[in-house]
Amino acid sequence: MEEKPMYPDRSCLTIDLNQAKTNCRIIQERLAPGRRIMAVVKADAYGHGDVQIARALTEIGIRDFAVSNIDEALRLREHGIPGQILILGYTDPSLAAELILNDITQAILSEEYARALHEAGGEQVRCHIALDTGMRRIGLNADDPAACERAIRELAKTLKVTGLFTHLCVADSEEEDDLLFTHEQIMKYQAVADRVRDLHLETVHCLNSAGGLWHSAESDVMRLGIVLYGLKPDYLNHLPEGIRPVLTWKSVVSMVKTIAPGDCVGYGRTFTAQKPMRIATIPTGYADGYRRDLSNHGWVLIHGKRAPIVGRVCMDQMTVDVTQIPEVRLGTEAVLLGRSGEEEFTADDMAHLIGTIGYEIVCGISKRVKRQYQ
Ligand SMILES: *Cc1c(COP(=O)(O)O)cnc(C)c1O
Protein backbone atom coordinates (compact mmCIF):
# COMPACT_ATOMS: atom_id res chain seq x y z
CA MET A 1 0.00 0.00 0.00
CA GLU A 2 1.27 3.44 -0.86
CA GLU A 3 1.89 5.67 2.15
CA LYS A 4 0.04 8.95 2.27
CA PRO A 5 2.30 11.98 2.58
CA MET A 6 2.42 13.42 6.10
CA TYR A 7 1.53 17.08 6.26
CA PRO A 8 2.21 19.10 9.39
CA ASP A 9 -0.74 20.74 11.18
CA ARG A 10 -2.11 24.01 9.89
CA SER A 11 -0.98 25.74 13.04
CA CYS A 12 0.14 23.95 16.17
CA LEU A 13 1.84 24.60 19.49
CA THR A 14 4.11 21.96 20.90
CA ILE A 15 4.46 22.30 24.64
CA ASP A 16 7.42 20.59 26.20
CA LEU A 17 6.28 19.70 29.71
CA ASN A 18 9.70 18.31 30.58
CA GLN A 19 11.22 21.68 29.81
CA ALA A 20 8.66 23.32 32.11
CA LYS A 21 9.75 20.90 34.85
CA THR A 22 13.41 21.59 34.11
CA ASN A 23 12.85 25.34 34.33
CA CYS A 24 11.09 24.86 37.65
CA ARG A 25 13.80 22.57 39.03
CA ILE A 26 16.57 25.01 38.08
CA ILE A 27 14.89 27.64 40.25
CA GLN A 28 14.08 25.12 43.00
CA GLU A 29 17.78 24.30 43.27
CA ARG A 30 18.59 27.95 43.88
CA LEU A 31 15.96 28.42 46.59
CA ALA A 32 16.91 29.22 50.15
CA PRO A 33 15.78 26.51 52.61
CA GLY A 34 12.15 26.74 53.64
CA ARG A 35 11.13 28.56 50.49
CA ARG A 36 8.91 27.13 47.81
CA ILE A 37 7.56 27.96 44.40
CA MET A 38 4.02 29.10 43.74
CA ALA A 39 3.45 28.44 40.05
CA VAL A 40 1.51 31.24 38.39
CA VAL A 41 -0.74 29.52 35.85
CA LYS A 42 -3.17 32.35 35.14
CA ALA A 43 -4.39 33.00 31.60
CA ASP A 44 -4.21 29.29 30.77
CA ALA A 45 -0.61 29.17 32.01
CA TYR A 46 0.33 32.08 29.75
CA GLY A 47 -1.23 30.20 26.84
CA HIS A 48 0.58 26.92 27.56
CA GLY A 49 -2.40 25.04 29.04
CA ASP A 50 -3.08 25.50 32.76
CA VAL A 51 -4.18 21.96 33.63
CA GLN A 52 -1.29 20.32 31.78
CA ILE A 53 1.30 22.67 33.28
CA ALA A 54 -0.17 22.38 36.78
CA ARG A 55 -0.21 18.56 36.52
CA ALA A 56 3.40 18.46 35.32
CA LEU A 57 4.54 20.70 38.15
CA THR A 58 2.51 18.76 40.69
CA GLU A 59 4.62 15.74 39.70
CA ILE A 60 7.74 17.56 40.87
CA GLY A 61 6.23 18.62 44.16
CA ILE A 62 4.66 22.01 43.47
CA ARG A 63 1.69 22.51 45.82
CA ASP A 64 0.93 26.21 45.38
CA PHE A 65 -0.68 27.76 42.33
CA ALA A 66 -1.86 31.25 41.44
CA VAL A 67 -4.54 32.21 38.93
CA SER A 68 -6.31 35.43 38.04
CA ASN A 69 -9.97 34.53 38.56
CA ILE A 70 -12.38 31.95 39.92
CA ASP A 71 -13.05 30.24 36.57
CA GLU A 72 -9.37 29.42 36.29
CA ALA A 73 -9.26 28.23 39.89
CA LEU A 74 -12.31 25.97 39.47
CA ARG A 75 -10.87 24.49 36.29
CA LEU A 76 -7.79 23.38 38.19
CA ARG A 77 -9.90 21.87 40.97
CA GLU A 78 -12.19 20.11 38.48
CA HIS A 79 -9.10 18.50 37.01
CA GLY A 80 -7.94 17.34 40.41
CA ILE A 81 -5.11 19.79 41.08
CA PRO A 82 -4.45 19.67 44.84
CA GLY A 83 -2.84 22.24 47.12
CA GLN A 84 -3.27 25.96 47.54
CA ILE A 85 -4.84 27.91 44.69
CA LEU A 86 -4.64 31.67 45.11
CA ILE A 87 -6.78 34.05 43.05
CA LEU A 88 -4.66 37.16 42.50
CA GLY A 89 -7.48 39.30 41.14
CA TYR A 90 -11.15 40.10 41.62
CA THR A 91 -13.84 37.58 42.50
CA ASP A 92 -17.44 38.72 42.78
CA PRO A 93 -18.14 38.58 46.53
CA SER A 94 -21.39 36.70 45.82
CA LEU A 95 -19.19 33.72 44.91
CA ALA A 96 -17.88 33.38 48.48
CA ALA A 97 -19.56 29.99 48.93
CA GLU A 98 -17.85 28.65 45.79
CA LEU A 99 -14.48 29.77 47.15
CA ILE A 100 -15.10 28.00 50.45
CA LEU A 101 -16.50 24.85 48.87
CA ASN A 102 -13.48 24.48 46.60
CA ASP A 103 -10.88 25.58 49.15
CA ILE A 104 -9.70 28.47 47.02
CA THR A 105 -7.70 31.34 48.50
CA GLN A 106 -8.74 34.87 47.56
CA ALA A 107 -6.62 38.02 47.42
CA ILE A 108 -8.08 40.88 49.42
CA LEU A 109 -7.86 43.91 47.17
CA SER A 110 -9.00 46.60 49.62
CA GLU A 111 -10.81 47.08 52.92
CA GLU A 112 -13.98 47.79 50.98
CA TYR A 113 -13.60 44.51 49.10
CA ALA A 114 -13.01 42.67 52.39
CA ARG A 115 -16.26 44.09 53.80
CA ALA A 116 -18.19 43.07 50.69
CA LEU A 117 -16.76 39.54 50.87
CA HIS A 118 -17.59 39.31 54.57
CA GLU A 119 -21.15 40.53 54.03
CA ALA A 120 -21.58 37.93 51.30
CA GLY A 121 -20.78 35.16 53.78
CA GLY A 122 -17.02 35.01 53.28
CA GLU A 123 -15.89 34.53 56.91
CA GLN A 124 -14.41 31.15 56.05
CA VAL A 125 -12.75 32.11 52.76
CA ARG A 126 -8.99 31.72 53.01
CA CYS A 127 -7.57 35.16 52.22
CA HIS A 128 -4.23 36.72 51.39
CA ILE A 129 -4.22 40.47 51.99
CA ALA A 130 -2.63 42.45 49.17
CA LEU A 131 -0.32 45.31 50.13
CA ASP A 132 0.25 48.23 47.79
CA THR A 133 3.91 49.10 48.17
CA GLY A 134 4.07 51.37 45.14
CA MET A 135 2.40 49.80 42.13
CA ARG A 136 -0.97 51.47 42.83
CA ARG A 137 -3.00 48.62 41.38
CA ILE A 138 -4.48 46.66 44.29
CA GLY A 139 -3.90 46.34 48.00
CA LEU A 140 -3.83 48.25 51.26
CA ASN A 141 -1.55 51.25 51.03
CA ALA A 142 1.65 50.30 52.85
CA ASP A 143 3.09 53.82 52.97
CA ASP A 144 1.82 54.06 56.55
CA PRO A 145 2.77 50.72 58.15
CA ALA A 146 0.96 51.48 61.41
CA ALA A 147 -2.35 52.16 59.64
CA CYS A 148 -1.79 49.09 57.53
CA GLU A 149 -1.19 46.97 60.62
CA ARG A 150 -4.42 48.24 62.21
CA ALA A 151 -6.36 47.42 59.06
CA ILE A 152 -4.91 43.90 58.86
CA ARG A 153 -5.76 43.20 62.52
CA GLU A 154 -9.33 44.35 61.89
CA LEU A 155 -9.63 42.21 58.77
CA ALA A 156 -8.27 39.19 60.61
CA LYS A 157 -11.26 39.42 62.98
CA THR A 158 -13.83 39.01 60.22
CA LEU A 159 -12.02 36.89 57.61
CA LYS A 160 -9.79 33.82 57.62
CA VAL A 161 -6.56 35.63 56.81
CA THR A 162 -3.83 33.13 55.92
CA GLY A 163 -1.41 35.29 53.97
CA LEU A 164 -0.03 38.68 53.07
CA PHE A 165 1.64 39.71 49.83
CA THR A 166 2.82 42.53 47.63
CA HIS A 167 3.83 42.81 44.00
CA LEU A 168 7.04 44.33 42.63
CA CYS A 169 6.60 46.40 39.49
CA VAL A 170 10.16 47.12 38.28
CA ALA A 171 12.10 44.14 39.60
CA ASP A 172 13.18 43.30 36.04
CA SER A 173 15.07 46.56 35.58
CA GLU A 174 18.71 47.26 36.35
CA GLU A 175 18.31 51.05 36.21
CA GLU A 176 19.56 52.58 39.45
CA ASP A 177 16.30 54.40 39.99
CA ASP A 178 14.31 51.20 39.61
CA LEU A 179 16.62 49.21 41.88
CA LEU A 180 16.01 51.83 44.53
CA PHE A 181 12.25 51.68 43.97
CA THR A 182 12.23 47.88 44.32
CA HIS A 183 14.29 48.17 47.49
CA GLU A 184 11.74 50.64 48.89
CA GLN A 185 8.85 48.34 47.95
CA ILE A 186 10.53 45.46 49.77
CA MET A 187 11.21 47.63 52.84
CA LYS A 188 7.56 48.75 53.04
CA TYR A 189 6.36 45.17 52.71
CA GLN A 190 8.85 43.98 55.29
CA ALA A 191 7.80 46.68 57.77
CA VAL A 192 4.17 45.56 57.61
CA ALA A 193 5.07 41.86 57.71
CA ASP A 194 7.16 42.45 60.84
CA ARG A 195 4.31 44.26 62.59
CA VAL A 196 1.87 41.37 62.14
CA ARG A 197 4.30 38.54 62.76
CA ASP A 198 2.31 37.51 65.87
CA LEU A 199 -0.63 36.60 63.60
CA HIS A 200 1.51 33.72 62.27
CA LEU A 201 0.21 34.02 58.72
CA GLU A 202 0.96 30.87 56.73
CA THR A 203 2.24 32.52 53.55
CA VAL A 204 3.89 35.94 53.33
CA HIS A 205 5.23 36.66 49.88
CA CYS A 206 6.53 39.35 47.53
CA LEU A 207 8.63 37.82 44.75
CA ASN A 208 7.62 37.36 41.12
CA SER A 209 10.05 35.90 38.53
CA ALA A 210 12.21 39.01 38.34
CA GLY A 211 12.09 39.53 42.10
CA GLY A 212 13.03 35.91 42.76
CA LEU A 213 15.88 35.91 40.26
CA TRP A 214 17.47 39.27 41.02
CA HIS A 215 16.37 40.49 44.44
CA SER A 216 16.35 39.15 47.94
CA ALA A 217 13.56 39.53 50.42
CA GLU A 218 11.71 37.40 52.91
CA SER A 219 9.13 35.47 50.93
CA ASP A 220 7.71 32.07 51.84
CA VAL A 221 6.81 31.46 48.23
CA MET A 222 8.11 32.86 44.98
CA ARG A 223 5.22 33.49 42.61
CA LEU A 224 6.81 32.38 39.38
CA GLY A 225 5.14 32.85 36.04
CA ILE A 226 7.16 33.82 33.00
CA VAL A 227 10.42 32.10 33.95
CA LEU A 228 8.65 28.73 34.27
CA TYR A 229 7.69 29.13 30.62
CA GLY A 230 11.32 29.89 29.77
CA LEU A 231 10.81 33.53 28.86
CA LYS A 232 12.35 36.69 30.29
CA PRO A 233 10.59 39.34 32.37
CA ASP A 234 12.45 41.93 30.29
CA TYR A 235 14.29 41.53 26.99
CA LEU A 236 17.57 42.73 28.53
CA ASN A 237 17.50 40.07 31.28
CA HIS A 238 19.65 36.94 31.28
CA LEU A 239 18.01 33.79 32.56
CA PRO A 240 19.94 31.13 34.46
CA GLU A 241 21.68 28.51 32.32
CA GLY A 242 19.34 25.76 31.13
CA ILE A 243 16.07 27.70 31.31
CA ARG A 244 14.53 27.45 27.85
CA PRO A 245 11.22 28.32 26.17
CA VAL A 246 8.61 25.62 26.71
CA LEU A 247 6.55 26.38 23.63
CA THR A 248 7.19 25.95 19.90
CA TRP A 249 4.72 27.28 17.32
CA LYS A 250 4.71 25.67 13.90
CA SER A 251 2.69 26.09 10.75
CA VAL A 252 3.07 24.83 7.19
CA VAL A 253 3.51 26.12 3.66
CA SER A 254 0.12 25.89 1.94
CA MET A 255 1.18 27.25 -1.45
CA VAL A 256 4.31 28.51 -3.22
CA LYS A 257 4.32 30.80 -6.24
CA THR A 258 6.61 33.06 -8.23
CA ILE A 259 5.63 36.70 -8.61
CA ALA A 260 6.91 39.26 -11.11
CA PRO A 261 8.49 42.69 -10.57
CA GLY A 262 5.67 45.20 -9.96
CA ASP A 263 3.33 42.60 -8.40
CA CYS A 264 2.05 43.58 -5.00
CA VAL A 265 1.25 41.27 -2.12
CA GLY A 266 -1.73 41.26 0.25
CA TYR A 267 -4.31 43.68 1.62
CA GLY A 268 -3.57 47.33 1.11
CA ARG A 269 -0.87 46.53 -1.48
CA THR A 270 1.77 47.37 1.12
CA PHE A 271 4.50 45.31 -0.54
CA THR A 272 5.59 45.56 -4.17
CA ALA A 273 8.14 43.15 -5.67
CA GLN A 274 11.18 44.83 -7.21
CA LYS A 275 12.38 41.59 -8.80
CA PRO A 276 11.02 38.11 -9.46
CA MET A 277 10.34 36.50 -6.07
CA ARG A 278 9.13 33.22 -4.61
CA ILE A 279 6.34 33.72 -2.13
CA ALA A 280 5.03 31.07 0.27
CA THR A 281 1.62 31.28 1.93
CA ILE A 282 1.38 30.19 5.59
CA PRO A 283 -2.11 29.39 6.95
CA THR A 284 -1.71 31.23 10.27
CA GLY A 285 -2.94 34.78 10.86
CA TYR A 286 -4.02 37.30 13.42
CA ALA A 287 -7.10 35.26 14.37
CA ASP A 288 -4.56 32.71 15.60
CA GLY A 289 -2.88 35.41 17.66
CA TYR A 290 -0.10 35.97 15.15
CA ARG A 291 0.44 39.68 15.55
CA ARG A 292 -0.56 41.90 12.65
CA ASP A 293 2.13 44.41 13.55
CA LEU A 294 4.62 41.84 12.22
CA SER A 295 3.39 42.71 8.69
CA ASN A 296 6.42 43.52 6.46
CA HIS A 297 8.47 43.32 9.66
CA GLY A 298 8.81 39.85 11.16
CA TRP A 299 9.93 36.51 9.78
CA VAL A 300 9.29 32.79 10.10
CA LEU A 301 11.98 30.09 10.03
CA ILE A 302 12.03 27.58 7.20
CA HIS A 303 14.83 25.04 6.75
CA GLY A 304 16.89 26.94 9.31
CA LYS A 305 16.62 30.23 7.42
CA ARG A 306 14.63 33.41 7.92
CA ALA A 307 11.72 33.92 5.54
CA PRO A 308 10.65 37.58 5.90
CA ILE A 309 6.94 38.38 6.07
CA VAL A 310 5.88 40.34 3.00
CA GLY A 311 2.58 42.20 2.89
CA ARG A 312 0.10 42.31 5.73
CA VAL A 313 -0.63 39.45 8.06
CA CYS A 314 -4.26 38.48 7.27
CA MET A 315 -6.87 36.99 9.59
CA ASP A 316 -6.00 33.38 8.74
CA GLN A 317 -2.95 33.51 6.48
CA MET A 318 0.27 35.34 5.81
CA THR A 319 2.82 35.50 3.02
CA VAL A 320 6.59 35.15 3.32
CA ASP A 321 9.53 35.60 0.97
CA VAL A 322 11.24 32.26 0.26
CA THR A 323 13.28 33.40 -2.75
CA GLN A 324 16.47 32.36 -0.89
CA ILE A 325 15.06 28.98 0.20
CA PRO A 326 14.51 27.08 -3.06
CA GLU A 327 13.58 23.74 -1.46
CA VAL A 328 10.30 25.13 -0.05
CA ARG A 329 7.15 23.37 -1.32
CA LEU A 330 3.60 22.53 -0.27
CA GLY A 331 3.80 20.91 3.15
CA THR A 332 7.15 22.38 4.20
CA GLU A 333 7.22 23.18 7.91
CA ALA A 334 7.40 26.83 8.98
CA VAL A 335 8.53 27.64 12.52
CA LEU A 336 6.78 30.73 13.86
CA LEU A 337 8.32 30.51 17.33
CA GLY A 338 11.12 28.15 18.21
CA ARG A 339 14.18 26.62 16.63
CA SER A 340 14.90 25.63 13.07
CA GLY A 341 18.41 24.39 12.33
CA GLU A 342 20.83 26.91 13.83
CA GLU A 343 18.24 29.69 13.92
CA GLU A 344 15.99 30.48 16.84
CA PHE A 345 13.15 32.97 17.21
CA THR A 346 11.55 33.17 20.63
CA ALA A 347 8.41 34.92 21.89
CA ASP A 348 10.81 37.38 23.55
CA ASP A 349 12.45 38.12 20.17
CA MET A 350 9.07 38.54 18.48
CA ALA A 351 7.87 40.82 21.27
CA HIS A 352 11.00 42.94 21.09
CA LEU A 353 10.48 43.42 17.35
CA ILE A 354 7.05 44.97 17.87
CA GLY A 355 7.58 46.77 21.15
CA THR A 356 5.78 44.45 23.53
CA ILE A 357 6.68 41.68 25.98
CA GLY A 358 6.90 37.92 25.57
CA TYR A 359 4.00 37.56 28.02
CA GLU A 360 1.62 39.25 25.58
CA ILE A 361 2.77 37.11 22.66
CA VAL A 362 2.22 33.75 24.35
CA CYS A 363 -1.02 34.78 26.09
CA GLY A 364 -2.31 36.00 22.76
CA ILE A 365 -1.96 32.74 20.83
CA SER A 366 -5.59 31.90 20.29
CA LYS A 367 -7.37 28.73 21.30
CA ARG A 368 -7.94 27.64 17.71
CA VAL A 369 -4.22 26.83 17.48
CA LYS A 370 -3.91 23.18 18.46
CA ARG A 371 -1.90 22.38 21.58
CA GLN A 372 0.18 19.24 21.53
CA TYR A 373 1.98 18.04 24.65
CA GLN A 374 5.22 16.16 24.89
C1 LIG B 1 1.31 37.55 37.09
C2 LIG B 1 1.78 37.73 38.48
C3 LIG B 1 2.94 37.10 38.93
C4 LIG B 1 3.87 36.34 38.01
O1 LIG B 1 4.70 37.26 37.36
P1 LIG B 1 5.89 36.76 36.42
O2 LIG B 1 6.58 38.02 36.03
O3 LIG B 1 5.25 36.07 35.27
O4 LIG B 1 6.72 35.84 37.24
C5 LIG B 1 3.25 37.19 40.27
N1 LIG B 1 2.47 37.90 41.12
C6 LIG B 1 1.36 38.55 40.71
C7 LIG B 1 0.55 39.32 41.69
C8 LIG B 1 1.00 38.52 39.37
O5 LIG B 1 -0.10 39.18 38.97
Side-chain angles (χ1 to χ4, degrees):
M1 212 172 71
E2 205 180 313
E3 265 192 48
K4 274 202 197 151
M6 283 279 293
Y7 293 112
D9 282 315
R10 175 191 73 82
S11 199
C12 182
L13 292 186
T14 306
I15 289 141
D16 184 347
L17 294 173
N18 279 326
Q19 187 62 53
K21 290 183 190 173
T22 300
N23 293 346
C24 189
R25 279 209 194 92
I26 289 172
I27 307 282
Q28 271 173 331
E29 280 163 15
R30 298 160 55 112
L31 287 182
R35 282 208 181 166
R36 55 192 207 276
I37 290 172
M38 171 181 273
V40 180
V41 295
K42 62 194 179 193
D44 201 21
Y46 298 32
H48 293 67
D50 50 10
V51 171
Q52 290 84 353
I53 292 285
R55 274 194 189 136
L57 297 180
T58 296
E59 286 170 20
I60 57 166
I62 301 300
R63 290 291 175 272
D64 298 84
F65 297 93
V67 295
S68 83
N69 61 61
I70 191 166
D71 296 329
E72 294 176 350
L74 292 177
R75 229 174 90 77
L76 294 183
R77 282 288 187 249
E78 277 157 21
H79 287 84
I81 302 300
Q84 167 161 254
I85 300 178
L86 169 63
I87 297 178
L88 297 166
Y90 176 76
T91 302
D92 188 322
S94 71
L95 298 171
E98 281 289 288
L99 292 172
I100 298 166
L101 189 66
N102 292 283
D103 191 24
I104 293 165
T105 307
Q106 172 61 44
I108 296 298
L109 316 180
S110 66
E111 289 174 85
E112 191 180 14
Y113 180 78
R115 274 192 297 277
L117 188 63
H118 180 255
E119 280 162 20
E123 294 93 335
Q124 290 307 313
V125 177
R126 291 169 58 90
C127 295
H128 286 196
I129 297 177
L131 290 181
D132 177 2
T133 52
M135 188 172 180
R136 306 296 180 242
R137 183 172 66 174
I138 57 164
L140 311 186
N141 190 317
D143 291 352
D144 180 349
C148 217
E149 175 190 352
R150 278 195 300 277
I152 294 168
R153 291 192 189 281
E154 278 308 306
L155 294 181
K157 289 179 192 160
T158 57
L159 293 168
K160 189 170 166 187
V161 178
T162 59
L164 183 68
F165 74 103
T166 194
H167 194 40
L168 305 176
C169 56
V170 279
D172 56 342
S173 166
E174 286 179 30
E175 301 280 332
E176 203 166 325
D177 212 37
D178 293 334
L179 291 172
L180 201 64
F181 191 87
T182 301
H183 179 69
E184 281 168 9
Q185 280 198 283
I186 292 172
M187 297 305 282
K188 285 183 198 172
Y189 150 84
Q190 198 63 63
V192 176
D194 286 342
R195 280 169 171 268
V196 297
R197 209 168 281 279
D198 60 298
L199 295 179
H200 301 293
L201 302 178
E202 281 168 30
T203 323
V204 178
H205 49 116
C206 69
L207 300 175
N208 52 8
S209 292
L213 287 169
W214 301 299
H215 296 273
S216 63
E218 265 185 58
S219 192
D220 297 320
V221 295
M222 285 171 39
R223 302 186 307 266
L224 298 187
I226 201 73
V227 70
L228 292 179
Y229 309 109
L231 298 173
K232 301 187 272 192
D234 182 84
Y235 197 65
L236 298 176
N237 297 152
H238 295 280
L239 293 179
E241 183 73 26
I243 293 187
R244 301 256 325 131
V246 166
L247 160 163
T248 300
W249 189 1
K250 288 179 181 171
S251 190
V252 62
V253 170
S254 61
M255 178 181 178
V256 199
K257 76 201 67 101
T258 301
I259 64 170
D263 281 356
C264 34
V265 181
Y267 286 120
R269 303 170 65 211
T270 60
F271 180 87
T272 306
Q274 306 298 321
K275 53 183 176 17
M277 291 176 80
R278 290 223 320 148
I279 300 292
T281 305
I282 312 281
T284 296
Y286 63 77
D288 297 297
Y290 195 90
R291 294 287 296 263
R292 190 169 171 277
D293 26 9
L294 291 161
S295 299
N296 290 308
H297 196 43
W299 59 86
V300 306
L301 302 178
I302 299 181
H303 288 306
K305 296 193 184 119
R306 291 181 182 190
I309 297 169
V310 290
R312 286 192 184 146
V313 172
C314 310
M315 185 183 289
D316 315 300
Q317 309 183 62
M318 66 175 125
T319 35
V320 299
D321 175 8
V322 293
T323 311
Q324 306 303 326
I325 321 172
E327 59 273 45
V328 172
R329 52 188 42 79
L330 168 65
T332 299
E333 176 185 278
V335 175
L336 312 186
L337 288 177
R339 270 181 175 161
S340 172
E342 299 290 296
E343 279 278 346
E344 180 169 30
F345 190 58
T346 67
D348 287 329
D349 297 327
M350 180 183 276
H352 187 62
L353 210 52
I354 56 174
T356 184
I357 49 177
Y359 300 71
E360 194 187 16
I361 299 295
V362 289
C363 288
I365 301 172
S366 69
K367 297 302 172 235
R368 86 173 189 188
V369 177
K370 254 188 239 163
R371 267 70 170 170
Q372 178 187 301
Y373 292 86
Q374 66 177 30

